[in-house]
Amino acid sequence: KTLHRELTKSFPIWRMRIMLKEPLTCNSWHRDPEQLLHIPIITNPSSLFVINHHVTHLPADGSVYYTDTPRAYHMAMNGGEQPRVHIVAILPL
């Protein structure tokens, strides 16, 4: 509730969810219907985010990452041995 209240001071948040990526898993190459904010909570160096063929690691350092997922194909993978946890906030188009 506190995080939602703080984020809505800067962004028009529709809803938020907690996303878990188990160790040694990935999701499909896809686009989403909404723009997203990612806030890594628990991660590891082998947890990677791929967007428009650019591979990056999103550290759990308190940063908020905007992703234009309606236009950008993307996927997440967790090659580590610990779960990856992100909070994802959905923004209006």
Side-chain angles (χ1 to χ4, degrees):
K1 184 175 178 177
T2 301
L3 179 60
H4 184 273
R5 184 173 45 246
E6 290 301 313
L7 283 174
T8 56
K9 291 178 182 177
S10 300
F11 304 100
I13 304 293
W14 277 4
R15 65 182 186 271
M16 294 173 60
R17 63 183 180 228
I18 298 172
M19 298 189 72
L20 169 70
K21 176 69 53 207
E22 294 289 352
L24 306 175
T25 63
C26 66
N27 60 350
S28 64
W29 187 242
H30 68 284
R31 288 186 300 182
D32 293 315
E34 303 97 355
Q35 301 171 88
L36 303 176
L37 296 177
H38 280 265
I39 306 164
I41 303 300
I42 300 170
T43 190
N44 63 74
S46 297
S47 180
L48 303 172
F49 185 69
V50 182
I51 187 162
N52 286 337
H53 302 284
H54 174 77
V55 180
T56 190
H57 170 69
L58 305 179
D61 62 4
S63 296
V64 177
Y65 299 91
Y66 167 79
T67 55
D68 187 5
T69 51
R71 291 189 289 185
Y73 277 91
H74 61 283
M75 66 179 287
M77 65 184 86
N78 183 3
E81 297 180 6
Q82 302 299 320
R84 167 191 179 264
V85 178
H86 278 207
I87 293 176
V88 175
I90 297 173
L91 304 172
L93 290 176

